[in-house]
Amino acid sequence: RQHWNTLQSLYGRFPYFRNQFEPMIRPFLEKSRNFRFLIDLCESSTSLFWKAFDLKATVWHSSHLAVSGKKTERLVEICQSLEATEYYAALGSSRYLNLSMFREKSIRVSFQHFRYSAGPDPLRPSDYSVLDWLALEPLEKIRERLGKRSEEHTSELQSQSTISYAV
Protein backbone atom coordinates (compact mmCIF):
# COMPACT_ATOMS: atom_id res chain seq x y z
CA ARG A 1 0.00 0.00 0.00
CA GLN A 2 2.82 2.40 0.86
CA HIS A 3 4.51 1.75 -2.52
CA TRP A 4 1.26 2.43 -4.34
CA ASN A 5 0.70 5.68 -2.40
CA THR A 6 4.20 6.83 -3.33
CA LEU A 7 3.66 6.01 -7.00
CA GLN A 8 0.27 7.71 -6.96
CA SER A 9 1.76 10.89 -5.51
CA LEU A 10 4.58 10.87 -8.07
CA TYR A 11 2.64 9.92 -11.20
CA GLY A 12 -1.02 10.65 -10.37
CA ARG A 13 -1.18 13.83 -12.46
CA PHE A 14 0.42 12.32 -15.55
CA PRO A 15 -1.83 11.88 -18.60
CA TYR A 16 -1.87 8.06 -18.74
CA PHE A 17 -1.91 7.34 -15.04
CA ARG A 18 -5.58 6.38 -14.65
CA ASN A 19 -6.10 4.52 -17.93
CA GLN A 20 -2.76 2.77 -18.34
CA PHE A 21 -0.40 3.01 -15.40
CA GLU A 22 -2.80 2.21 -12.56
CA PRO A 23 -4.57 -0.80 -14.17
CA MET A 24 -1.19 -2.38 -14.85
CA ILE A 25 0.92 -1.48 -11.82
CA ARG A 26 -1.55 -1.55 -8.94
CA PRO A 27 -2.60 -5.23 -9.39
CA PHE A 28 1.05 -6.16 -9.84
CA LEU A 29 1.99 -4.52 -6.53
CA GLU A 30 -0.88 -6.30 -4.78
CA LYS A 31 0.24 -9.63 -6.25
CA SER A 32 3.88 -8.94 -5.36
CA ARG A 33 3.19 -9.55 -1.68
CA ASN A 34 2.89 -13.25 -2.52
CA PHE A 35 6.39 -13.64 -3.93
CA ARG A 36 8.65 -15.64 -1.70
CA PHE A 37 11.94 -14.83 -3.46
CA LEU A 38 13.26 -11.62 -4.97
CA ILE A 39 14.05 -13.42 -8.26
CA ASP A 40 10.35 -14.23 -8.65
CA LEU A 41 9.43 -10.58 -8.22
CA CYS A 42 12.12 -9.47 -10.68
CA GLU A 43 11.13 -11.99 -13.34
CA SER A 44 7.46 -11.23 -12.93
CA SER A 45 7.96 -7.47 -13.29
CA THR A 46 10.19 -7.96 -16.32
CA SER A 47 7.58 -10.19 -17.92
CA LEU A 48 4.85 -7.65 -17.16
CA PHE A 49 6.67 -4.92 -19.09
CA TRP A 50 7.79 -7.18 -21.93
CA LYS A 51 4.17 -8.18 -22.53
CA ALA A 52 2.90 -4.60 -22.32
CA PHE A 53 5.55 -3.35 -24.75
CA ASP A 54 5.31 -6.36 -27.07
CA LEU A 55 8.94 -7.33 -26.49
CA LYS A 56 10.23 -10.85 -26.90
CA ALA A 57 13.31 -12.33 -25.30
CA THR A 58 14.59 -15.57 -23.91
CA VAL A 59 15.57 -15.72 -20.25
CA TRP A 60 18.56 -17.86 -19.40
CA HIS A 61 19.46 -18.71 -15.82
CA SER A 62 23.18 -19.17 -15.38
CA SER A 63 22.42 -22.00 -12.94
CA HIS A 64 21.15 -24.00 -15.92
CA LEU A 65 24.27 -23.40 -18.01
CA ALA A 66 27.46 -25.45 -17.92
CA VAL A 67 29.64 -22.68 -16.49
CA SER A 68 32.00 -22.92 -13.56
CA GLY A 69 34.23 -19.85 -13.41
CA LYS A 70 34.21 -17.08 -10.85
CA LYS A 71 33.68 -13.32 -11.39
CA THR A 72 34.64 -12.11 -14.89
CA GLU A 73 35.61 -15.62 -15.97
CA ARG A 74 32.07 -16.78 -15.20
CA LEU A 75 30.53 -13.90 -17.19
CA VAL A 76 32.73 -14.69 -20.18
CA GLU A 77 31.76 -18.38 -19.94
CA ILE A 78 28.07 -17.43 -19.85
CA CYS A 79 28.52 -15.23 -22.94
CA GLN A 80 30.33 -18.03 -24.73
CA SER A 81 27.72 -20.64 -23.84
CA LEU A 82 25.02 -18.34 -25.30
CA GLU A 83 27.21 -17.48 -28.32
CA ALA A 84 27.04 -13.81 -27.38
CA THR A 85 29.44 -11.37 -28.96
CA GLU A 86 28.47 -8.44 -26.75
CA TYR A 87 28.03 -8.00 -22.99
CA TYR A 88 25.99 -5.04 -21.72
CA ALA A 89 27.02 -3.96 -18.22
CA ALA A 90 26.38 -1.26 -15.66
CA LEU A 91 29.00 1.49 -15.75
CA GLY A 92 30.06 0.79 -12.16
CA SER A 93 31.22 -2.69 -13.14
CA SER A 94 33.99 -1.12 -15.25
CA ARG A 95 35.94 -0.81 -11.97
CA TYR A 96 36.14 -4.54 -11.41
CA LEU A 97 35.51 -6.35 -14.72
CA ASN A 98 38.61 -7.81 -16.33
CA LEU A 99 37.98 -6.45 -19.84
CA SER A 100 40.94 -8.28 -21.33
CA MET A 101 39.19 -11.60 -20.64
CA PHE A 102 36.28 -10.45 -22.82
CA ARG A 103 38.64 -9.16 -25.52
CA GLU A 104 40.48 -12.49 -25.64
CA LYS A 105 37.18 -14.19 -26.53
CA SER A 106 36.11 -11.42 -28.98
CA ILE A 107 33.23 -10.30 -26.79
CA ARG A 108 32.53 -6.58 -26.92
CA VAL A 109 31.60 -4.92 -23.60
CA SER A 110 29.21 -1.96 -23.68
CA PHE A 111 28.45 0.08 -20.59
CA GLN A 112 25.16 1.65 -19.63
CA HIS A 113 25.54 5.39 -19.08
CA PHE A 114 22.49 6.17 -16.95
CA ARG A 115 21.77 9.85 -16.40
CA TYR A 116 19.53 10.70 -13.47
CA SER A 117 17.05 13.51 -14.00
CA ALA A 118 14.71 15.04 -11.46
CA GLY A 119 11.77 14.11 -13.65
CA PRO A 120 10.89 12.98 -17.17
CA ASP A 121 12.30 15.35 -19.77
CA PRO A 122 10.27 15.29 -23.00
CA LEU A 123 13.43 16.14 -24.91
CA ARG A 124 15.20 13.03 -23.59
CA PRO A 125 12.75 10.10 -23.61
CA SER A 126 15.68 7.68 -23.64
CA ASP A 127 16.27 8.68 -20.00
CA TYR A 128 12.71 7.75 -18.96
CA SER A 129 12.14 4.94 -16.55
CA VAL A 130 9.59 2.32 -17.57
CA LEU A 131 7.18 3.91 -15.07
CA ASP A 132 7.71 7.37 -16.60
CA TRP A 133 6.84 5.97 -20.02
CA LEU A 134 3.69 4.23 -18.77
CA ALA A 135 2.42 7.40 -17.13
CA LEU A 136 3.40 9.80 -19.95
CA GLU A 137 2.83 8.03 -23.27
CA PRO A 138 0.27 5.67 -24.78
CA LEU A 139 1.40 2.06 -25.15
CA GLU A 140 1.23 2.32 -28.94
CA LYS A 141 3.75 5.16 -28.94
CA ILE A 142 6.04 3.33 -26.51
CA ARG A 143 5.93 0.21 -28.68
CA GLU A 144 6.68 2.32 -31.75
CA ARG A 145 9.70 3.94 -30.05
CA LEU A 146 11.02 0.59 -28.88
CA GLY A 147 10.45 -0.95 -32.31
CA LYS A 148 12.46 1.79 -34.02
CA ARG A 149 15.31 1.46 -31.52
CA SER A 150 15.26 -2.30 -31.93
CA GLU A 151 15.39 -2.03 -35.74
CA GLU A 152 18.31 0.44 -35.54
CA HIS A 153 20.17 -1.77 -33.07
CA THR A 154 19.45 -4.94 -35.08
CA SER A 155 20.76 -3.46 -38.33
CA GLU A 156 23.90 -2.25 -36.54
CA LEU A 157 24.46 -5.69 -35.03
CA GLN A 158 23.79 -7.58 -38.26
CA SER A 159 26.78 -5.89 -39.80
CA GLN A 160 28.93 -7.24 -36.93
CA SER A 161 27.69 -10.73 -36.08
CA THR A 162 24.86 -12.71 -34.58
CA ILE A 163 24.14 -12.03 -30.92
CA SER A 164 22.24 -14.06 -28.36
CA TYR A 165 21.02 -12.05 -25.42
CA ALA A 166 21.18 -13.27 -21.85
CA VAL A 167 18.80 -11.44 -19.57
Side-chain angles (χ1 to χ4, degrees):
R1 187 164 181 71
Q2 183 179 355
H3 292 300
W4 176 249
N5 291 339
T6 301
L7 291 173
Q8 194 170 22
S9 70
L10 292 170
Y11 293 103
R13 294 188 185 124
F14 285 48
Y16 293 92
F17 180 82
R18 292 276 174 236
N19 296 333
Q20 184 171 279
F21 186 103
E22 183 172 10
M24 186 175 165
I25 302 302
R26 191 173 197 163
F28 175 79
L29 287 176
E30 290 168 4
K31 178 181 142 188
S32 70
R33 293 183 205 137
N34 301 325
F35 292 118
R36 189 166 169 218
F37 299 105
L38 180 59
I39 185 67
D40 299 327
L41 175 71
C42 293
E43 287 183 351
S44 184
S45 65
T46 300
S47 176
L48 176 76
F49 296 121
W50 283 352
K51 286 177 186 165
F53 298 153
D54 251 356
L55 299 173
K56 310 223 179 342
T58 302
V59 176
W60 295 93
H61 293 262
S62 62
S63 59
H64 296 125
L65 301 173
V67 294
S68 60
K70 301 270 190 229
K71 300 181 181 180
T72 301
E73 181 183 6
R74 182 174 180 81
L75 294 174
V76 170
E77 286 182 22
I78 290 170
C79 289
Q80 286 182 296
S81 71
L82 296 173
E83 299 178 11
T85 58
E86 182 174 8
Y87 178 72
Y88 188 66
L91 185 59
S93 66
S94 64
R95 293 188 298 260
Y96 58 81
L97 282 178
N98 182 341
L99 297 177
S100 65
M101 292 177 81
F102 286 95
R103 272 192 297 275
E104 287 170 13
K105 302 297 181 183
S106 300
I107 299 170
R108 182 176 138 194
V109 178
S110 298
F111 292 102
Q112 174 190 28
H113 294 275
F114 176 78
R115 288 179 227 99
Y116 172 78
S117 61
D121 178 350
L123 299 176
R124 295 176 59 163
S126 62
D127 290 345
Y128 285 9
S129 74
V130 68
L131 296 178
D132 295 339
W133 275 20
L134 280 175
L136 281 168
E137 297 187 5
L139 278 175
E140 300 78 37
K141 187 172 181 181
I142 297 168
R143 290 177 185 136
E144 182 183 316
R145 283 182 190 270
L146 291 171
K148 285 181 182 175
R149 291 191 64 178
S150 177
E151 288 168 15
E152 291 167 6
H153 190 64
T154 300
S155 64
E156 174 190 324
L157 294 176
Q158 285 173 342
S159 66
Q160 297 171 10
S161 62
T162 303
I163 292 184
S164 299
Y165 287 93
V167 179

